[in-house]
Amino acid sequence: MRPSGSGKSTLMHILGCLDFPTEGSYELGGVDVSGMDEAALANVRNAKIGFCLPTVQPAGLAQCMAQCRAAPDLCRHPPGERRQMAEAALERVGLGDRLEHRPLEMSGGQQQRVSVARALVTDPDLILADEPTGNLDSVATQEVLNLFRDLHEQGRTVLIIPHEPEVAAEAARVVHIKDGELRAQPRRRAPAPRHRPPARPPAPARLRRR
């Protein structure tokens, strides 16, 4: 959680290996990356980090498959392998039956899942999600948050930067940033229970005549 101008962009750039800290060190997966050069940082980004941005169509009106295959981290893979990796990522977020759909043929939540799939396409250890639900209604927001929880339960670290307190309430840990400093760090807690649609009431019992 943070107000505008608090240093969120700088923090995201450092965590995403897009910038260097002015002092101290940054370890990712037990490796100090703060002293690496640009080429080494690019390799770390490609292998370990996935970026999930607010709902956008990075390839214009391109189909889901084309959007995932256009992910920058896939450029070093041959075309056939890129397609396989993109298809696997889309299936992982529940869009295996919409590979050829275009953005206008999908809901807001489904479009955001395409963005998550692009972040997952290289199977990263860390996912950085900058306001991933900012343009979504409450139903689509919960859909995306449930997806992030599934990814976290699979062993990935998911860092979400939200505006909405209700989104932050879904996290296992909430950290506040203000004036470039990490301030309140509440103790780690269990994440809020997954939202489920209400169960149907049981059918009334019927008496059998003898």
Side-chain angles (χ1 to χ4, degrees):
M1 294 291 294
R2 81 287 179 271
S4 298
S6 62
K8 177 267 297 183
S9 297
T10 301
L11 178 61
M12 283 285 286
H13 286 174
I14 293 174
L15 294 178
C17 294
L18 296 168
D19 205 346
F20 305 94
T22 53
E23 60 182 34
S25 61
Y26 169 38
E27 290 189 4
L28 178 61
V31 178
D32 187 353
V33 300
S34 52
M36 291 184 176
D37 59 22
E38 291 288 352
L41 285 177
N43 290 333
V44 171
R45 286 195 301 271
N46 291 340
K48 294 185 175 296
I49 304 175
F51 296 89
C52 181
L53 303 176
T55 307
V56 292
Q57 289 81 50
L61 298 179
Q63 297 166 334
C64 291
M65 175 65 75
Q67 291 192 35
C68 284
R69 290 176 64 185
D73 297 342
L74 286 187
C75 295
R76 55 196 175 93
H77 296 274
E81 188 175 347
R82 287 203 298 268
R83 179 176 179 84
Q84 292 177 358
M85 295 172 70
E87 184 173 346
L90 287 166
E91 289 179 350
R92 192 176 299 168
V93 300
L95 293 176
D97 59 342
R98 286 174 165 74
L99 301 181
E100 307 304 328
H101 281 57
R102 299 178 185 276
L104 295 180
E105 300 171 327
M106 298 184 295
S107 68
Q110 290 170 338
Q111 292 179 33
Q112 185 59 53
R113 279 195 274 165
V114 175
S115 181
V116 177
R118 280 170 58 92
L120 285 174
V121 78
T122 56
D123 198 23
D125 298 324
L126 171 64
I127 297 175
L128 299 178
D130 187 2
E131 300 178 26
T133 60
N135 300 325
L136 305 181
D137 61 25
S138 59
V139 174
T141 291
Q142 193 61 54
E143 177 183 321
V144 172
L145 292 178
N146 287 345
L147 174 58
F148 280 133
R149 176 170 297 181
D150 290 340
L151 295 172
H152 177 64
E153 291 174 353
Q154 294 168 14
R156 293 179 179 82
T157 298
V158 181
L159 190 152
I160 301 176
I161 298 184
H163 268 310
E164 307 88 349
E166 56 271 21
V167 173
E170 296 276 341
R173 184 183 184 189
V174 179
V175 175
H176 296 263
I177 181 171
K178 184 176 181 180
D179 298 330
E181 296 182 356
L182 296 178
R183 295 293 180 90
Q185 299 187 38
R187 63 181 177 85
R188 192 174 183 83
R189 64 182 187 278
R194 178 194 293 270
H195 174 77
R196 298 286 190 185
R200 293 183 179 180
R206 295 183 179 180
L207 297 178
R208 180 180 298 178
R209 293 182 178 180
R210 293 184 177 180

